Amino acid sequence: MSKKKSQSKRNTPPSYDVILHNDDTITFEYAVNKIINICKLTKENAENKAKEVSEKGKVILVNVHLELAELYQEQLKAAKLTATIQKNEIV
């Protein structure tokens, strides 16, 4: 790896996963609409994420910088969806 690539990687701010957790009290359609409105995913992507959270119990919605992850988490919680954030540890 060249020095320039190595330095660039070190200067990249860490990224965070916004994780949606399953909640049986929320309808599929409601979850899809909130994912679209808050995380700006396409309808198809939002439906896939909602299906996955229903099947697996949780799903990574997006991977973004910390401030945006915190904003999405707050907005999802305000919409009565259970969301957490986790630092992405990809090296």
Side-chain angles (χ1 to χ4, degrees):
M1 183 183 298
S2 74
K3 243 185 188 180
K4 190 173 188 175
K5 282 185 182 179
S6 177
Q7 286 175 345
S8 171
K9 192 166 189 158
R10 277 187 261 138
N11 292 334
T12 303
S15 61
Y16 291 79
D17 296 327
V18 178
I19 302 166
L20 180 66
H21 300 267
N22 191 35
D23 182 342
D24 292 331
T25 65
I26 303 295
T27 67
F28 182 84
E29 294 79 15
Y30 180 83
V32 168
N33 286 329
K34 293 303 174 184
I35 293 168
I36 291 169
N37 292 333
I38 294 169
C39 298
K40 309 301 182 216
L41 298 183
T42 65
K43 183 176 182 183
E44 181 180 1
N45 284 341
E47 287 173 345
N48 290 337
K49 299 289 186 178
K51 186 175 184 180
E52 187 175 340
V53 76
S54 176
E55 293 170 354
K56 297 182 179 179
K58 64 182 178 179
V59 65
I60 296 172
L61 291 177
V62 292
N63 181 269
V64 293
H65 62 84
L66 179 59
E67 291 80 10
L68 189 53
E70 290 173 336
L71 176 63
Y72 285 165
Q73 180 187 28
E74 288 174 17
Q75 291 175 335
L76 289 163
K77 284 185 176 185
K80 307 296 185 213
L81 297 172
T82 304
T84 57
I85 58 175
Q86 173 180 308
K87 188 173 181 180
N88 189 316
E89 298 294 338
I90 295 177
V91 179

